[in-house]
């Protein structure tokens, strides 16, 4: 299920994107699952079509979904790849933190702050 | 007092649909909208039926009355059109219900007719409507010219019109946006959608086949009447089995996705 909170400070497109990404990475949305059309999900959630289209576009850029023309948007087989990409980015960040001489606690605080935005 | 009655009706509806949830104001509002939709449907049916009866009274005085041949189809077309009006009215009443909600909920996956209707009901609809069209076509070809062929053609056209109206009602049901603010109201939305989709695909061609199979212009026991009655009996048995299986199926997950 996807929920949208219109009173939240998080933009609606980000709420859609993050929930879909979370469910794809958790495996709740299996590879090959067809997502609703942009217009359908927008109507269901009471959002503008452009808002949902932006969320889908970002998911596609992240390799989590594939848009197959008129057939629709499907969960792609790259869920594990995205995890690997996140792990790679974390390694690079750790190397940069070491190079800068920052401590572990401070590095984690920076990551936590970044994830919280 | 009125609110209490609505709440009680909502609780009864949820219990009948094996949904173990407490009705929220949105759910109560939706179920009341459903009641008003059904009321609009009944009024439409009554007005159209009065019109059909009046037409029948005028038609019976004409030299070549036609209504007696098409009236069974007319009744069922009225019922189907009434259902479409009821759906429209219900949507109209439901739409403002979400105005005060700050959250909206939806399924993250697309749902086709099979997941909304259920595999059994989808197969039933295809078998009854497809079978009716096939039977009507075959009867039109093999029936001897004259009254028998005319009746077969009316049967075929009637089934085709009903198939078209059913497809329209089903598409309306499948395409309508969810009205939900939380998992509970999304479950109710699923249940309402499934119920409406099954109403949209009620096998009315079986009723038409009975009327035509027992038409006094046809000889009872002739191959044509036997074919129509065999179609009716087979379809009715299939319908009963599908419905029984659907009622016995456990409901633990949202039906539509």
């Amino acid at each position: 299920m996807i929920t949208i909170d219109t009173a939240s400070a998080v933009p609606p497109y980000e709420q859609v994107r993050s929930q879909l990404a979370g469910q794809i990475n958790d495996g709740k949305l299996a590879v090959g699952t067809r997502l609703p059309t942009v217009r359908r999900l927008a109507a269901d959630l009471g959002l503008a079509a452009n808002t949902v289209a932006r969320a889908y576009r970002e998911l596609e850029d992240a390799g989590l979904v594939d848009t197959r023309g008129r057939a629709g948007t499907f969960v792609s087989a790259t869920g594990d790849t995205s995890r690997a990409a996140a792990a790679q980015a974390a390694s690079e960040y750790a190397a940069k933190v070491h190079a800068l001489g920052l401590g572990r606690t401070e590095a984690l605080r920076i990551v936590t702050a970044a994830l919280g935005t | 007092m009125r609110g209490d009655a609505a709440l009680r009706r909502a609780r009864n509806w949820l219990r009948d649909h094996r949904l173990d949830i407490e009705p929220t104001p949105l759910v109560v509002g939706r179920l009341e909208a459903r009641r008003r939709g059904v009321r609009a449907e009944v009024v439409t049916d009554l007005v159209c039926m009065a019109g059909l009866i009046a037409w029948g009274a005028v038609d019976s005085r004409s030299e070549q009355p036609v209504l007696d041949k098409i009236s069974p189809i007319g009744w069922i077309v009225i019922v189907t059109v009434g259902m479409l009006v009821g759906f429209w009215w219900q949507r109209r009443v439901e739409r403002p219900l979400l105005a005060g909600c700050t959250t909206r909920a939806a399924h993250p996956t697309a749902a086709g007719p099979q997941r909304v209707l259920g595999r059994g009901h989808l197969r039933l609809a295809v078998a009854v409507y497809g079978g009716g069209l096939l039977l009507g076509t075959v009867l039109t070809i093999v029936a001897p010219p004259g009254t028998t062929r005319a009746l077969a053609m009316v049967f075929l056209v009637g089934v085709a019109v009903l198939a078209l109206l059913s497809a329209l009602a089903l598409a309306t049901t499948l395409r309508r946006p969810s009205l939900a603010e939380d998992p509970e109201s999304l479950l109710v939305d699923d249940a309402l959608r499934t119920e409406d989709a099954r109403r949209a695909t009620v096998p009315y061609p079986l009723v038409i086949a009975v009327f035509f199979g027992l038409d006094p212009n046809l000889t009872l026991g002739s191959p044509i009447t036997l074919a129509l009655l065999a179609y009716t009996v087979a379809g009715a048995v299939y319908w009963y089995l599908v419905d029984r299986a659907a009622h016995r199926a456990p409901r633990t997950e949202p039906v539509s996705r």
Side-chain angles (χ1 to χ4, degrees):
Chain A
M1 190 184 74
I2 300 180
T3 52
I4 290 293
D5 184 355
T6 51
S8 167
V10 181
Y13 87 87
E14 178 53 26
Q15 293 184 45
V16 174
R17 190 206 63 76
S18 62
Q19 288 180 63
L20 284 174
Q23 292 180 32
I24 292 168
N25 284 321
D26 289 351
K28 284 180 189 161
L29 290 177
V31 171
T33 302
R34 188 159 66 92
L35 301 186
T37 61
V38 167
R39 290 176 72 174
R40 176 60 195 263
L41 189 58
D44 283 351
L45 295 172
L47 300 173
N50 283 342
T51 305
V52 176
R54 181 173 176 188
Y56 276 25
R57 212 165 37 243
E58 296 203 359
L59 288 168
E60 198 172 1
D61 291 345
L64 293 172
V65 299
D66 279 331
T67 300
R68 301 177 198 163
R70 295 178 71 86
T73 305
F74 296 82
V75 175
S76 70
T78 53
D80 291 336
T81 313
S82 68
R83 276 206 185 83
Q88 174 67 28
S91 299
E92 287 168 10
Y93 173 70
K96 187 79 177 173
V97 163
H98 285 306
L100 292 170
L102 295 176
R104 181 187 174 84
T105 311
E106 192 175 0
L108 287 174
R109 202 180 300 131
I110 292 168
V111 171
T112 307
L115 288 174
T117 56
Chain B
M1 193 67 110
R2 199 171 170 181
D4 289 346
L7 189 63
R8 197 175 54 248
R9 279 193 293 271
R11 285 206 177 105
N12 290 340
W13 188 92
L14 291 167
R15 195 188 55 237
D16 292 347
H17 289 75
R18 291 177 286 160
L19 293 170
D20 188 20
I21 53 178
E22 189 58 26
T24 61
L26 177 63
V27 168
V28 173
R30 287 205 71 183
L31 294 174
E32 286 303 295
R34 158 67 62 98
R35 281 186 78 226
R36 290 170 70 177
V38 170
R39 222 176 287 161
E41 179 181 336
V42 170
V43 169
T44 307
D45 287 348
L46 290 176
V47 169
C48 293
M49 283 173 183
L52 192 67
I53 289 167
W55 181 23
V58 174
D59 184 63
S60 62
R61 290 187 198 143
S62 69
E63 287 180 6
Q64 287 184 317
V66 292
L67 196 60
D68 62 328
K69 290 188 179 63
I70 61 165
S71 61
I73 298 167
W75 293 116
I76 293 171
V77 166
I78 285 172
V79 169
T80 315
V81 169
M83 184 175 62
L84 280 167
V85 171
F87 284 172
W88 171 78
W89 193 267
Q90 185 185 327
R91 269 330 267 179
R92 195 177 148 275
V93 179
E94 278 176 345
R95 226 170 278 147
L97 291 175
L98 278 169
C101 298
T102 55
T103 56
R104 291 287 294 265
H107 289 289
T109 54
Q114 181 171 315
R115 290 174 81 177
V116 174
L117 266 174
R119 190 179 295 175
H121 279 86
L122 181 63
R123 285 181 179 166
L124 172 71
V126 170
V128 168
Y129 283 88
L133 289 171
L134 186 68
L135 180 64
T137 307
V138 171
L139 292 183
T140 304
I141 293 167
V142 302
T147 309
T148 310
R149 182 168 289 176
L151 282 171
M153 281 179 73
V154 174
F155 173 74
L156 175 61
V157 171
V159 174
V161 169
L162 280 176
L164 199 68
L165 287 171
S166 288
L168 184 65
L170 182 61
T172 305
T173 305
L174 294 176
R175 284 182 189 160
R176 78 177 180 217
S178 302
L179 281 181
E181 57 177 348
D182 50 27
E184 287 77 21
S185 51
L186 197 55
L187 266 177
V188 171
D189 188 77
D190 289 341
L192 286 169
R193 195 184 302 277
T194 297
E195 197 171 83
D196 289 345
R198 288 180 182 170
R199 280 184 66 211
T201 53
V202 165
Y204 286 124
L206 301 178
V207 183
I208 299 185
V210 173
F211 275 105
F212 281 85
L214 300 176
D215 192 284
N217 292 306
L218 298 176
T219 312
L220 198 62
S222 66
I224 286 179
T225 58
L226 288 178
L228 286 165
L229 294 175
Y231 163 74
T232 307
V233 171
V237 169
Y238 190 16
W239 185 12
Y240 168 74
L241 292 174
V242 166
D243 230 36
R244 196 179 62 166
H247 278 99
R248 285 184 174 179
R251 171 171 257 166
T252 51
E253 291 291 322
V255 177
S256 73
R257 321 279 157 99

